[in-house]
Amino acid sequence: MTEHNKRDIRCQDRLDIEFDNLCYCPPGKKVKSSTQSLVLRNVKGKFNSGRLTAILGPSGAGKTSLLNALTGFKIHGVTGSIKINGKERNVSKFRKLSCYIKQDFSMLALLTTKETMMLAADLKLDSGISKQQKKIIISDILEILGLEKTVDTLVQDLSGGEKKRLSLGLELLTNPPVMFFDEPTSGLDSLSALQIILHLKSLAQEGRTVVCSIHQPSSQLFEMFDDVYVLSEGQCIYNGPNDSLTKNLEEEGFHCPIFYNRADFAIEIASGQRGDKSKLIDKFNSKEVDIECQQEGDSVETSRLNPPQLSTAHNIKETAIVIEKDVHVASSYPQPLWRQFLILTKRSLLCTLRDKLCVWVRIVTHLVIGLLLGAVYYNIGNDASKVLSNVSCLFFFVLFLFSCNAMPGIMKIPFEIPVVLHEVLNNWYSLKAYFMSKLVADIPVQIICPTLLVITGYFITDQPADGSRCLQFWILCFLIGMIGHHVGVIFGALISSMEMGIFLISSSNVSLLLFSGFFVILKDIPVWLKWISDISYFRYAFEGVMQSVYGYNRPDMKCPEIYCYFKSPLKFLEQFSMTHAHYEYDALALLIWIVILEVLLLLALKWRVYTSK
């Protein structure tokens, strides 16, 4: 790589971060005084550009909470003064100039390294940059991170260290002046951890402000950091240069043994194993003020500083309000909405085509089940003596299409949601664009699957070969499959546990199945329970299928026996209380259900984004 290209990725803007009286109270937790333990309490500090800073502390000290507050990923219950280059932080603007890579950073497993970088470049870089320029930028970044040999490797096949470095590469695309990392070496071997910190060091030397929490670093790793910030029970006990850590601790009576890991020594002090640390807390934290963290209905939760305790408290309180307002300001995205939609749809289609379980197994399963139905119910569609068996066959179409399309959603979406949350909160694209892409990307599979099932199962079982009836039957199969897909995606978006999601889908649809008209004839349903039948999408799908097969004055069926009670299709519809049903109304009811489920999906996604803050 030439020297010219190296300069291309250098950071042009230098941003110093300074915070004071920063407090964090988890939403829903009431704290009446400063003597009670908060996650963060009156911490102050400064992170300088061109420096690699480590945040140290035992588990539960507040390292991740501090990062969440500084990045703006947590806004509920956060107060205090956060300044960028001496000016109060604007959250929406700051997010565009910074990146935050969490410990559990997620990427789409079925994209290659090159595809992941290119799609991120399409979303994050200005639309005026040509495709060839993007390729050059990506090539340079991959070379810097040592990933040039993995360009065609799927993300799921990358090692832990390679995934960490790829996550760095995604953020280097926009060359942010501020970078936050939550335990970037977690789960890595010593060599991979060293490589990651070396990369972070080089990023800081190029002028960026690089801050990362670190858990029990080795002596070699710890020496690579320029500055150290040590947390203990939500309060700071040291903030300053790495080489001054031991000196400052000795001034307060903490003497580090010779050849002892200084990072371990600092963590032991923070844990209270080395004695009283109150002097360090008084030295490196803001003056104590009363904090009241309270929940006000469904409004945004904020912590308020009590003005009488501190002369600057009034200004700090105003800062907290400004922070809360700024985060809700509509921010622009690198790409317009329509282009976000196209890029996300392309990405989703790529993943879909490579997903063997959720796509190819589904397609093969529909084909196999169609053939199995044909074998079990061979030539009974026009046999008046086997009408009841044929009804079971038709109802199985409905039940199978719903179930087979609901399960992939509940299994796939929980793994995709963390990726979406990270990208939306980092301002890559809007939630609306992702929502629309999800509606469109699965449509090809939703068309192919019922088509294969109808071609095999419908015709082998000798259902009416009339073109209009066949089309009506296929439309209902498509609609119930879409409903199943939407239900699965909604549960997957709301519930992270796949096992819990599968259980809830099954249990929540039992009542709708019971009142579908198959298990209990509609006229026999008690009046006070009839409303369940009126809202059951299984009822409208089953009723519509019955109309498409037996309605519209279908001629009498063949009767191979002496007498067939249901030789007339009209008599059969009367038995099931469906003579007054209309196919158009049933199809419309299913369409309305799809619209309702789409609205619920959008609300579910917004809820996940809101709660992640």
Side-chain angles (χ1 to χ4, degrees), residues 260-276:
Y260 201 83
N261 187 336
R262 294 186 299 125
D264 291 341
F265 183 67
I267 293 174
E268 288 172 6
I269 294 174
S271 303
Q273 299 178 20
R274 295 279 179 170
D276 185 16

Side-chain angles (χ1 to χ4, degrees), residues 260-417:
Y260 201 83
N261 187 336
R262 294 186 299 125
D264 291 341
F265 183 67
I267 293 174
E268 288 172 6
I269 294 174
S271 303
Q273 299 178 20
R274 295 279 179 170
D276 185 16
K277 55 182 182 285
S278 57
K279 290 183 179 180
L280 290 171
I281 292 174
D282 293 338
K283 182 177 180 179
F284 290 101
N285 288 271
S286 306
K287 293 181 180 180
E288 287 288 344
V289 292
D290 286 337
I291 307 292
E292 183 180 357
C293 181
Q294 59 185 2
Q295 185 173 359
E296 300 178 0
D298 293 329
S299 64
V300 174
E301 298 171 359
T302 59
S303 303
R304 294 181 174 83
L305 302 179
N306 194 350
Q309 300 292 329
L310 192 65
S311 60
T312 59
H314 177 70
N315 294 332
I316 297 173
K317 181 178 179 180
E318 290 179 351
T319 300
I321 295 174
V322 170
I323 291 174
E324 294 293 339
K325 286 183 179 179
D326 285 340
V327 80
H328 295 292
V329 174
S331 57
S332 58
Y333 297 94
Q335 304 295 337
L337 183 64
W338 66 269
R339 182 159 175 78
Q340 294 174 32
F341 165 74
L342 292 178
I343 296 169
L344 292 173
T345 302
K346 175 185 176 182
R347 185 176 77 172
S348 187
L349 287 172
L350 271 175
C351 294
T352 298
L353 290 173
R354 293 173 184 164
D355 195 333
K356 296 179 180 179
L357 175 63
C358 293
V359 178
W360 300 110
V361 171
R362 281 167 66 187
I363 291 175
V364 172
T365 300
H366 280 76
L367 181 61
V368 171
I369 293 299
L371 293 172
L372 183 62
L373 282 173
V376 175
Y377 297 102
Y378 181 72
N379 271 352
I380 68 169
N382 198 36
D383 190 337
S385 65
K386 298 180 180 178
V387 169
L388 295 178
S389 295
N390 193 49
V391 172
S392 299
C393 174
L394 298 176
F395 185 76
F396 185 84
F397 271 89
V398 173
L399 184 59
F400 171 76
L401 285 166
F402 175 86
S403 302
C404 199
N405 286 282
M407 290 304 113
I410 198 65
M411 292 188 291
K412 182 178 179 181
I413 295 300
F415 298 101
E416 190 172 323
I417 286 295

